[in-house]
Amino acid sequence: MNTFAVSQLSTLRWSMEQDASAYSAMGFEGIGLYRPKLDDFGIDRTIELLCESSLHVTSLSWAGGFTGSCGLGVDDSVRDAIKAVREAANLRADTLIVLAGGRNNHIRSHARRTLCDALREVSAAAESFDVHLSLEPIHPGCGDEWSFIHDLRTTLDIIEDVGSTHLGLALDTYHVGMDDDTIKWLPDLKPHLNLVQFGDGRHSPVGEMNRCLLGEGCVPLQRFYEALVEQGYQGPMEVELLGEDIENVSYEQVLQHAKLFFDRLSGSVSRS
């Protein structure tokens, strides 16, 4: 069965304690941890808190930025990613999300080679700790500085090039779900798919991420869910919502709406 979870980016202003309490009370089974919140609260306290809250760690965000666009050199980014691998192992997280980093004035072939070399090194550590990495493609309209990897074909090519059994992908419907071909890709993605994040938007991303409540945008989330079930995907499903369109909605309302939306999705598939 899929674990329904919430990414902490959805409740960015809340503390770790508030997140755990609210997610559990709302009926979610998992939590996507955000490393700055983890650093603030401490990993040992987090493990204890999540045990008390009966929340499973579906993901840890994020490691990477290997091209230098995030302020770290390649070696420092790799060291930080290996540190994140150890954190993910201690948390028993389903996956560690990895971002490539922006092109940062590199030619594309050099950026790709730098990324693959770094992923091979980090994947070796991930294999030793039995942690699964998930490379996430980011829409160019809102994330050029975070990743030069924008589409599923390129993501799969890099995964196959690196060749590690512990490197897969994270699919965020906000970033790739407005492309009509994405659902057609699911049979090819399924063997590599570690995490699905549900996000919606009223238009294609431009500038800052601007997500709306699930089901109120143009991403065909029900078709995504049905296709994932049809493909036999049993991994975690996370809500990730942030942006101007939901700034005036309380976190409690965001969580309640998301949980009801997931309940309707799973209920509709069960009845069919």
Side-chain angles (χ1 to χ4, degrees), residues 194-257:
N194 293 331
L195 175 70
V196 177
Q197 293 181 316
F198 278 72
D200 205 350
R202 294 190 172 95
H203 53 76
S204 186
V206 179
E208 296 291 327
M209 278 193 289
N210 188 21
R211 305 179 185 222
C212 63
L213 294 174
L214 298 180
E216 295 187 0
C218 59
V219 180
L221 294 177
Q222 181 157 349
R223 286 178 55 209
F224 262 104
Y225 183 83
E226 291 170 353
L228 287 164
V229 171
E230 182 180 340
Q231 291 299 320
Y233 173 72
Q234 295 185 336
M237 296 181 175
E238 282 183 7
V239 181
E240 185 169 298
L241 298 175
L242 65 160
E244 185 178 347
D245 281 352
I246 56 172
E247 281 183 356
N248 294 324
V249 183
S250 71
Y251 286 161
E252 290 87 356
Q253 290 173 301
V254 168
L255 295 177
Q256 183 178 43
H257 185 278

Side-chain angles (χ1 to χ4, degrees), residues 153-192:
R153 182 185 296 275
T154 303
T155 307
L156 286 180
D157 286 347
I158 288 172
I159 290 170
E160 291 172 2
D161 191 5
V162 173
S164 170
T165 58
H166 282 61
L167 176 63
L169 70 92
L171 187 156
D172 186 327
T173 62
Y174 178 75
H175 290 297
V176 299
M178 297 182 199
D179 183 342
D180 292 337
D181 289 335
T182 297
I183 290 178
K184 299 176 186 177
W185 272 88
L186 287 180
D188 297 308
L189 301 177
K190 169 62 171 51
H192 308 284

Side-chain angles (χ1 to χ4, degrees), residues 136-151:
E136 180 178 357
I138 303 292
H139 194 285
C142 65
D144 252 353
E145 72 273 26
W146 300 106
S147 179
F148 69 93
I149 304 300
H150 305 307
D151 62 274

